[in-house]
Amino acid sequence: MPVRSASAVWKGSLKEGQGHLKLESGVYEGPYTWASRFADAAGTNPEELVGAAHAGCYAMYLSALLTNHNTPPEELSVTARVHLGEGPTITKIELVLTAKVPGIALERFLELAEEAKAKCPISKALAAVPEVTLEAKLV
């Protein structure tokens, strides 16, 4: 399996400094600061990137489960809301899923959605997060 990487450079003190994040693939490169992490300033932050990774991993894993059960999805739309609390620490992740899956019973869909939440690689990596919730609906 491949090894993926990303890099960060931070210059200066915590509140006055600034950083730069870069993905090995080159699809993202940009700034982050104390204000972009702990306030609402422009730029990204580690929690936003964790959310993107979790949403993407979850969607792919659920797609595989659904396909393996002969109900491939037409579309899976996933948002991951990452809560940063005191410490700082990630205190909660909310996964919100809207799915178009023809021919699946709601009960089976919800079972597979929960299984994907527990088993996708990023969920496993984030096992220390105290609370991960899932809101799933079929459209």
Side-chain angles (χ1 to χ4, degrees):
M1 298 298 282
V3 174
R4 307 294 185 203
S5 67
S7 60
V9 174
W10 185 265
K11 295 181 181 180
S13 66
L14 176 61
K15 286 194 174 183
E16 293 76 29
Q18 59 185 2
H20 189 82
L21 299 167
K22 182 177 182 180
L23 304 183
E24 174 186 41
S25 64
V27 299
Y28 176 77
E29 183 174 346
Y32 73 114
T33 63
W34 180 91
S36 70
R37 188 171 194 192
F38 299 106
D40 289 326
T44 193
N45 56 72
E47 292 72 31
E48 183 177 51
L49 297 171
V50 165
H54 202 182
C57 182
Y58 175 81
M60 289 182 75
Y61 199 94
L62 180 56
S63 177
L65 290 176
L66 291 164
T67 300
N68 289 341
H69 286 86
N70 298 314
T71 52
E74 282 183 17
E75 182 176 307
L76 302 172
S77 177
V78 182
T79 299
R81 296 182 186 127
V82 179
H83 296 249
L84 187 63
E86 295 298 320
T89 188
I90 295 175
T91 58
K92 181 178 182 179
I93 299 174
E94 299 172 90
L95 294 173
V96 179
L97 164 67
T98 302
K100 293 180 187 174
V101 186
I104 194 168
L106 179 59
E107 184 176 304
R108 185 65 175 143
F109 166 72
L110 293 174
E111 288 172 3
L112 294 173
E114 285 291 338
E115 182 179 345
K117 182 184 93 165
K119 294 182 177 177
C120 89
I122 299 298
S123 288
K124 290 178 183 179
L126 296 171
V129 174
E131 183 179 9
V132 179
T133 64
L134 173 64
E135 176 187 320
K137 68 178 179 178
L138 284 170
V139 292

